[in-house]
Amino acid sequence: MRTFPFFLAAAFGLSSAVAQAADPDSDIRQTLRALQPDLPIETIAESAMPGLYQIQLKGGRQLYASADGQFLLQGYLFQVRDGQAVNLTEQAESRSVAKLIDEIPESEMVVFPAKDPKAKITVFTDTDCGYCQKLHSEVAELNRQGVDVRYVAFPRQGVGSHGYQTLVSVWCAEDRQAAMNQAKARKEIPAASCENPVSQQYQLGQMIGVQGTPAIVLENGQVVPGYQPAPQLAQIALEAAAAAKAN
């Protein structure tokens, strides 16, 4: 669950008066705008829990509110189904993340495809990251197990950093795969510049809550933070692909 800096401080300032909400969408938006004018609200709708409204923010994050907007919740909403607790918040976040990732054209990624693709992972990567380099050394094994590896850029030190400049050079190289292989082997690559999506992808990663690299997004939108050995990663990627197709 990703937290909001404004939330804990601001929520205590809300009035506890309960009023009949004539327009829940408007009332909730009014409350949230008063707390944080630039909060990126996408949709407000009734949640599965009667009387509770779900606020979806850009990047997949979720908040909950009473119909009059006077009470806010940040946390997981579970529903008990057949004796099992289903995390509705995580499901909603994952759907939103999957949608955002699906909107990135593969032409804007560095892709290492499997010969017989059964699943795909999208990896927010930084060429200067040791665990990113370790994961890259296992791309061939992931491909062998039917997993496409698709890289998007996440320069951990921000725009303008050494990592950022290296990623730009990778994306602007005539052969992106070869440039990525070289960069991940800690070798210098020729500096290059062009119109590129590195900054945009970095911003997207921040929006969905990426805090470090590698950050691996499965087909169902689940984000796996950090390195995972190829056999484990292939297994969860295949399971996520099956779950995404089932939905």
Side-chain angles (χ1 to χ4, degrees):
M1 165 59 62
R2 287 161 283 167
T3 58
F4 303 87
F6 79 90
F7 190 77
L8 289 177
F12 288 111
L14 290 174
S15 167
S16 60
V18 179
Q20 185 66 33
D23 184 355
D25 187 288
S26 176
D27 290 344
I28 293 169
R29 285 178 189 273
Q30 183 176 353
T31 294
L32 293 174
R33 285 182 183 134
L35 295 175
Q36 184 173 325
D38 62 347
L39 193 67
I41 301 170
E42 283 205 329
T43 61
I44 297 175
E46 289 187 77
S47 74
M49 179 177 173
L52 189 67
Y53 282 73
Q54 183 169 331
I55 304 137
Q56 179 170 304
L57 306 180
K58 289 181 181 178
R61 298 171 294 174
Q62 310 291 316
L63 292 174
Y64 299 94
S66 59
D68 59 11
Q70 296 301 301
F71 294 89
L72 298 178
L73 291 174
Q74 181 180 6
Y76 291 124
L77 177 63
F78 292 86
Q79 183 176 22
V80 178
R81 297 175 184 167
D82 300 323
Q84 300 293 321
V86 177
N87 192 326
L88 301 183
T89 305
E90 278 194 346
Q91 288 184 347
E93 289 183 346
S94 294
R95 284 193 299 269
S96 182
V97 169
K99 181 175 181 295
L100 288 168
I101 296 299
D102 286 344
E103 290 172 354
I104 305 173
E106 281 202 348
S107 61
E108 295 183 2
M109 302 178 178
V110 181
V111 182
F112 290 81
K115 288 184 179 179
D116 180 21
K118 300 172 185 174
K120 59 190 176 187
I121 59 174
T122 304
V123 183
F124 284 86
T125 194
D126 184 332
T127 53
D128 291 343
C129 154
Y131 278 108
C132 296
Q133 294 162 357
K134 185 173 177 60
L135 175 63
H136 189 71
S137 71
E138 299 178 9
V139 165
E141 175 61 19
L142 290 165
N143 287 167
R144 191 187 69 78
Q145 297 198 43
V147 180
D148 287 347
V149 179
R150 313 184 313 166
Y151 285 121
V152 292
F154 193 84
R156 295 171 301 160
Q157 302 303 316
V159 174
S161 64
H162 176 268
Y164 171 82
Q165 299 297 343
T166 303
L167 287 165
V168 168
S169 295
V170 169
W171 257 255
C172 293
E174 185 174 338
D175 185 337
R176 289 182 186 172
Q177 282 191 351
M180 183 67 81
N181 286 337
Q182 196 168 346
K184 290 291 179 75
R186 303 185 182 184
K187 297 177 181 178
E188 288 295 322
I189 62 173
S193 62
C194 64
E195 186 174 344
N196 65 83
V198 172
S199 178
Q200 182 181 356
Q201 291 176 1
Y202 176 59
Q203 291 171 5
L204 174 62
Q206 290 180 309
M207 187 169 66
I208 67 174
V210 173
Q211 296 180 334
T213 54
I216 303 160
V217 184
L218 307 177
E219 281 186 71
N220 62 357
Q222 180 186 351
V223 180
V224 180
Y227 165 80
Q228 298 287 325
Q232 291 176 223
L233 183 53
Q235 182 62 35
I236 61 176
L238 292 167
E239 290 172 357
K245 290 178 176 66
N247 293 331

